[in-house]
Amino acid sequence: APFLLFCFIPGMDRRARVVKALLFGLLGWYVALLVYNFSDILYYAFTQRHLTYELKTSWGDLDVIIKMGTMDHIRGFIGLFIFIAAFVFVFMKAINFLGDTSRFESGGNESGKKTGRLFAVDLLSFFIFICVSVILMRGGFQMKPLGVKNAFKSEKVELGALSLNGIYTTFTTLFKNFKGEDLSAVAALLDVENVNPGFAETMASRNSEEILTGYPLFRRFKYSESEKNHYNVVIFIMESWSAKHIGSLDGELSAAPNFDDLAAEGLLFTNCFANGQRSVEGLAAVLGSIPVWKGMVLGQSPLLYQTRMETIGGIFRKNDYETFFFHGARPGSLGFDSLIKRLGFERHISMEDFNADKTAYDGVWGIFDENLFLKAHELFSESRKKPFFAVIYSLTSHMPYSIPSDKFKRFGSSTAHAKFLNSMWYSDYALGRFFEEAKKEAYFKDTIFVITGDHTEGRSTNDNLYESYRIPCLFYGPGIIRQDVRAAAVSQIDIVPTLIDLLKFSDPFTSWGKTVLDGGGRKILMARGGMFVYLSEPHMILTDLDLIFGLYDYAANPDENLLKTGNKEALETSKKLLGELRQYLKFSYDLITENRISPPGR
């Protein structure tokens, strides 16, 4: 629109330097938007949604993103550069053509009349252009301009996604954030006057927990000080690990044999769900015990950063634990450095701690998993004074799926998604190496290990909604954790309360989750861009709070959208779940906006 506006302004001297400078500035802007839109296409392949908040959260990793693109999408990049070259060529030709103002140069009365007529034509064209632009920008003649939600008027979500692009969704999101609408825009759709007082009971065990009046997420287990355990705790968050590729989780194939061996001795959940689709969402859910939705992500939302809550690192430090966070990327990658401080961790082991070892670097993101995991093992072995709480976040199974050598190429090119599967196989190998060494050390027998994923790998799990969120979840500790396999639905936000329950801490904590040691059903909220996935066993719905796009019985047939059958019972079930989702969101929004997650003065 800005370029066309310049084209139609009547009588403008397009030879003026200031006009040329503005046009060349626009050229740079358009090229940047083309690159961003290209990135959005690649991003969509992994997450099934367009770019929104990533413009502000991933800027610091721009060089890494470019490396990934050039390594994994070289043909696409070549095509992009050819298109940009053609675009620049046509743009320059257009500028030169528009700069030819000889038609306005008068040479007598006849020429003056001709110039006047041309000016009148330009003025009319300018008026028509403004009118057409306004109509097109609004999307038609209807009362309100079209928005993102208007794209999803078909039962096929893919059609809605096809009509959107990352430039539009990003700037819409940033504009709403600027106006403070990240909460109110959704709150306006909730249409819930009063939340069911018993709703909080689905998030806590009334038999074993005490809850502070007025603060339904602020609670403590009813353990005495003498019951407290001081086991070490290590959480492995495995990048992009998907249940679909793990044999012990009934996967189509097993890219994680070492995990399968550990699962045979631990407490394994076959229906654990990631609460989001990105790394920062997974980290917020696992360690913050906070669901993520519509931009409300701990680590990105200024409102959540300022909300009082009991951090997992702070709880362990109060119990005299050392706290570690291991991630092989740069400290500031994905904003992890500030987030882990917010979560109360004391030590952050990152790529900077491996400067002397160039062979450990994967060439793109950071340190290979084996090097990172064994570094953690070394520190655990040296830790003698206190018990420790550590989080080890893997890296290698992230795009572009670099591996140290060809010996880890377990899957050939005939296997779908072989590159990712080989990187997952290597990460599992690194996990096996860690436990091989850990079992030789004294700390092993006094440690609870948790192995889970941050989110699924997008391209290989987008066949249905169920698999696009199902991740591994294993609690492992020989002599501490009893071996069992459970099919009950759990999610990442249940990990924190479970650990506090296992350790029998009586310290207050804040969580949307519930210990997995407690029975009862769970209500699970999962982020999907501007939409929501809500699970209440055994059903899942996909909705934007206005329309319901799908209802699935994941236990019976996760591929079948029950709404397509026209079954009256399916329609009633979907409406019931939508009502529960509205209750969940209203309950959460009220607590966040009123700052009632944790009481003041703590």
Side-chain angles (χ1 to χ4, degrees):
F3 175 70
L4 292 173
L5 188 65
F6 276 110
C7 294
F8 282 99
I9 292 177
M12 171 176 280
D13 183 2
R14 297 176 182 88
R15 295 172 298 180
R17 289 184 179 180
V18 65
V19 175
K20 286 188 175 181
L22 287 171
L23 288 172
F24 281 115
L26 280 173
L27 176 59
W29 174 242
Y30 293 150
V31 169
L33 292 183
L34 283 171
V35 173
Y36 192 73
N37 216 34
F38 176 78
S39 303
D40 171 69
I41 293 169
L42 302 183
Y43 181 81
Y44 186 87
F46 287 90
T47 62
Q48 297 92 60
R49 66 185 182 86
H50 291 282
L51 291 162
T52 52
Y53 297 89
E54 289 74 14
L55 181 66
K56 65 178 183 179
T57 59
S58 301
W59 188 256
D61 294 306
L62 184 61
D63 58 330
V64 175
I65 293 169
I66 292 173
K67 281 184 182 179
M68 286 194 300
T70 54
M71 291 174 65
D72 210 46
H73 300 279
I74 185 65
R75 286 181 294 180
F77 263 87
I78 292 172
L80 173 66
F81 289 135
I82 292 173
F83 182 84
I84 288 176
F87 180 86
V88 171
F89 176 79
V90 172
F91 190 96
M92 297 295 293
K93 285 289 186 181
I95 289 176
N96 290 334
F97 173 76
L98 293 169
D100 182 8
T101 57
S102 57
R103 59 189 181 137
F104 290 111
E105 293 174 359
S106 58
N109 291 335
E110 191 62 34
S111 296
K113 292 177 182 179
K114 182 180 179 182
T115 299
R117 288 196 299 270
L118 288 172
F119 184 85
V121 169
D122 276 7
L123 187 62
L124 178 63
S125 300
F126 182 71
F127 176 75
I128 293 172
F129 166 73
I130 293 295
C131 294
V132 171
S133 294
V134 170
I135 295 169
L136 292 176
M137 283 187 276
R138 296 185 80 260
F141 293 95
Q142 72 286 340
M143 185 175 293
K144 290 186 177 182
L146 294 181
V148 172
K149 73 174 185 177
N150 298 108
F152 298 95
K153 291 298 183 184
S154 163
E155 64 182 15
K156 283 190 172 291
V157 177
E158 295 82 2
L159 293 179
L162 185 64
S163 65
L164 295 172
N165 67 80
I167 297 169
Y168 175 74
T169 56
T170 295
F171 279 93
T172 299
T173 302
L174 295 180
F175 179 68
K176 285 184 176 180
N177 274 354
F178 178 75
K179 292 177 66 180
E181 294 181 1
D182 53 345
L183 276 176
S184 59
V186 176
L189 295 172
L190 295 181
D191 192 27
V192 177
E193 291 185 6
N194 297 302
V195 176
N196 181 351
F199 190 80
E201 294 182 14
T202 64
M203 302 181 184
S205 172
R206 290 288 175 176
N207 296 326
S208 60
E209 295 178 56
E210 295 176 350
I211 300 175
L212 184 66
T213 302
Y215 296 85
L217 299 180
F218 182 80
R219 57 211 215 242
R220 60 180 290 274
F221 285 102
K222 300 174 184 178
Y223 292 118
S224 65
E225 190 68 20
S226 61
E227 293 180 277
K228 186 179 296 185
N229 296 313
H230 281 92
Y231 296 122
N232 305 308
V233 175
V234 178
I235 301 177
F236 281 92
I237 303 177
M238 305 303 291
E239 173 66 53
S240 300
W241 271 34
S242 313
K244 182 179 179 179
H245 308 307
I246 298 176
S248 55
L249 297 174
D250 300 320
E252 297 175 355
L253 49 79
S254 185
N258 289 296
F259 176 89
D260 292 337
D261 291 343
L262 296 171
E265 302 177 26
L267 175 57
L268 179 68
F269 288 85
T270 58
N271 283 307
C272 179
F273 296 90
N275 292 96
Q277 294 180 298
R278 296 180 298 154
S279 296
V280 70
E281 293 173 344
L283 188 63
V286 172
L287 301 181
S289 200
I290 300 174
V292 294
W293 68 90
K294 201 88 172 178
M296 293 302 295
V297 183
L298 182 63
Q300 295 181 350
S301 168
L303 186 61
L304 275 180
Y305 255 116
Q306 299 174 73
T307 301
R308 292 188 300 268
M309 60 187 67
E310 306 300 307
T311 65
I312 184 65
I315 292 170
F316 275 98
R317 290 205 323 274
K318 278 191 289 186
N319 286 277
D320 205 28
Y321 276 68
E322 286 187 283
T323 55
F324 301 91
F325 183 88
F326 297 84
H327 189 232
R330 294 171 297 188
S333 180
L334 303 176
F336 279 3
D337 53 345
S338 58
L339 178 55
I340 64 169
K341 289 177 182 176
R342 178 70 179 87
L343 291 168
F345 286 85
E346 295 172 297
R347 296 188 62 183
H348 183 185
I349 311 302
S350 66
M351 182 173 143
E352 292 183 352
D353 296 280
F354 293 82
N355 284 342
D357 187 0
K358 301 300 181 185
T359 61
Y361 180 50
D362 68 2
V364 180
W365 272 113
I367 305 303
F368 284 117
D369 285 352
E370 182 182 8
N371 302 82
L372 181 71
F373 293 1
L374 293 181
K375 175 79 170 180
H377 164 70
E378 290 176 11
L379 289 177
F380 300 159
S381 301
E382 297 167 359
S383 181
R384 305 295 184 190
K385 296 180 181 179
K386 301 177 181 179
F388 57 82
F389 169 59
V391 175
I392 306 173
Y393 205 138
S394 80
L395 187 75
T396 306
S397 45
H398 191 291
M399 180 184 173
Y401 313 127
S402 302
I403 52 178
S405 71
D406 289 346
K407 75 175 184 178
F408 298 108
K409 289 186 176 180
R410 172 74 176 184
F411 303 95
S413 56
S414 60
T415 303
H417 313 291
K419 196 169 183 181
F420 163 69
L421 292 173
N422 286 326
S423 70
M424 184 173 170
W425 180 275
Y426 166 75
S427 288
D428 177 76
Y429 161 82
L431 194 67
R433 285 281 295 119
F434 172 88
F435 281 101
E436 179 186 344
E437 297 300 320
K439 289 176 180 179
K440 301 175 184 177
E441 297 294 331
Y443 75 83
F444 175 77
K445 62 181 175 58
D446 296 320
T447 304
I448 296 172
F449 298 94
V450 181
I451 305 171
T452 189
D454 61 344
H455 54 78
T456 62
E457 198 277 336
R459 285 190 293 191
S460 62
T461 61
N462 60 12
D463 49 350
N464 62 57
L465 203 62
Y466 172 63
E467 291 296 355
S468 64
Y469 287 93
R470 195 166 70 103
I471 57 172
C473 182
L474 173 68
F475 287 81
Y476 174 78
I480 305 173
I481 306 294
R482 183 180 299 176
Q483 190 276 329
D484 196 8
V485 178
R486 300 186 188 180
V490 298
S491 75
Q492 292 168 323
I493 64 173
D494 298 319
I495 291 175
V496 164
T498 302
L499 288 173
I500 294 174
D501 192 8
L502 285 168
L503 295 170
K504 300 187 186 306
F505 286 174
S506 59
D507 303 88
F509 66 97
T510 50
S511 170
W512 269 261
K514 182 164 66 171
T515 171
V516 299
L517 306 181
D518 181 66
R522 283 170 174 75
K523 313 300 183 184
I524 301 175
L525 175 65
M526 293 167 271
R528 200 170 186 86
M531 294 190 291
F532 305 85
V533 177
Y534 182 73
L535 183 150
S536 180
E537 291 184 281
H539 293 103
M540 305 171 71
I541 60 167
L542 174 65
T543 178
D544 65 354
L545 297 183
D546 188 12
L547 297 175
I548 302 173
F549 302 106
L551 169 70
Y552 306 87
D553 183 337
Y554 70 82
N557 183 2
D559 291 313
E560 182 184 16
N561 184 351
L562 297 177
L563 294 181
K564 291 183 179 180
T565 64
N567 185 290
K568 184 178 179 181
E569 184 180 349
L571 182 61
E572 291 302 315
T573 300
S574 66
K575 288 181 178 179
K576 176 179 177 291
L577 263 60
L578 179 59
E580 289 183 8
L581 171 59
R582 290 177 183 274
Q583 289 271 321
Y584 191 115
L585 291 172
K586 185 68 165 66
F587 170 84
S588 302
Y589 279 129
D590 286 348
L591 293 180
I592 292 171
T593 53
E594 296 166 16
N595 206 1
R596 287 194 296 117
I597 306 299
S598 179
R602 293 189 53 76

